[in-house]
Amino acid sequence: MDLIVENVGRRSSSWGKQGDPTDVGDHSLNGYERKALFRGRGNGRFEDVAHLVNADRIEDGRAVAVADFDRDGRLDILLQSLDRPAVLLMAQGGHGHWLEVDLVGAGSNPDAVGANVVAQVGGRRMTRQRIVGTGFLSASSPVLHFGLGEATRVDALEIRWPSGERQVLRDVGVNRRLVVRQGEVASR
């Protein structure tokens, strides 16, 4: 998955002033629009594939969370809309190789928030950042996911910890979750 877009509506009976373009009263600015899910085509362009996975719903979206809920190496999507039960969209079909990286920081930042990880695979570089709080009323998995396609090894995995420390792992195996502790040598 390269990008997901979830429409989140805004409501308020007291927001804005008469004639103010932001005064929408009790109406949603964008809550009841069709949801979109974009897949990268690998050439810098994206295509909307929401209709293929039943994600193109017309609901007042409130939250979206992305994680590998069933630990099969494919990212799944949890959607929550106003006055509706949550919907879990499980990734299905074939997929390529993958690597998940779970970071454990040291000292005052044990969650490693702000760490950057760069995976070098062949001639490609993929970067992920450890963040928390990814949206309104939701949070996606803090585990960093790399979709690797046909690659069977990661040439180098570079972790740049928030403290400034740099850690590099070479020749890393795929199709697994790798736990990396700041300052420790990890098995590859």
Side-chain angles (χ1 to χ4, degrees):
M1 175 186 337
D2 291 303
L3 175 69
I4 181 171
V5 176
E6 166 76 344
N7 294 324
V8 178
R10 297 181 194 167
R11 299 179 182 280
S12 172
S13 58
S14 60
W15 186 36
K17 298 179 211 151
Q18 184 82 3
D20 184 339
T22 62
D23 184 1
V24 295
D26 289 330
H27 302 287
S28 174
L29 289 174
N30 61 355
Y32 289 98
E33 294 178 3
R34 191 167 298 281
K35 308 298 183 259
L37 174 65
F38 295 98
R39 176 174 55 199
R41 300 171 87 184
N43 60 0
R45 300 178 86 71
F46 293 87
E47 63 183 324
D48 186 355
V49 296
H51 65 285
L52 298 175
V53 294
N54 196 27
D56 62 338
R57 308 163 171 275
I58 299 176
E59 298 174 348
D60 197 355
R62 296 297 176 182
V64 62
V66 178
D68 182 4
F69 287 100
D70 57 1
R71 303 277 305 258
D72 68 352
R74 296 177 292 189
L75 292 175
D76 309 303
I77 303 168
L78 181 70
L79 301 174
Q80 177 64 59
S81 295
L82 182 65
D83 299 328
R84 306 254 193 223
V87 175
L88 180 58
L89 302 173
M90 302 298 290
Q92 299 178 12
H95 65 288
H97 298 290
W98 53 276
L99 176 66
E100 291 184 337
V101 180
D102 193 2
L103 301 174
V104 179
S108 64
N109 189 358
D111 294 325
V113 175
N116 287 297
V117 179
V118 178
Q120 295 180 13
V121 182
R124 283 184 12 180
R125 290 172 46 95
M126 295 174 270
T127 303
R128 304 288 183 270
Q129 184 177 44
R130 179 72 166 255
I131 58 174
V132 295
T134 54
F136 177 67
L137 297 177
S138 66
S140 293
S141 173
V143 175
L144 305 176
H145 182 91
F146 293 89
L148 304 173
E150 298 299 316
T152 58
R153 306 292 291 173
V154 172
D155 300 321
L157 194 66
E158 179 183 350
I159 300 102
R160 294 182 199 135
W161 299 95
S163 66
E165 182 180 341
R166 186 174 161 267
Q167 196 169 345
V168 179
L169 306 175
R170 300 203 184 281
D171 195 28
V172 178
V174 300
N175 297 340
R176 66 189 184 122
R177 180 174 287 187
L178 175 67
V179 177
V180 180
R181 289 178 170 72
Q182 184 174 358
E184 290 184 11
V185 176
S187 62
R188 294 183 280 273

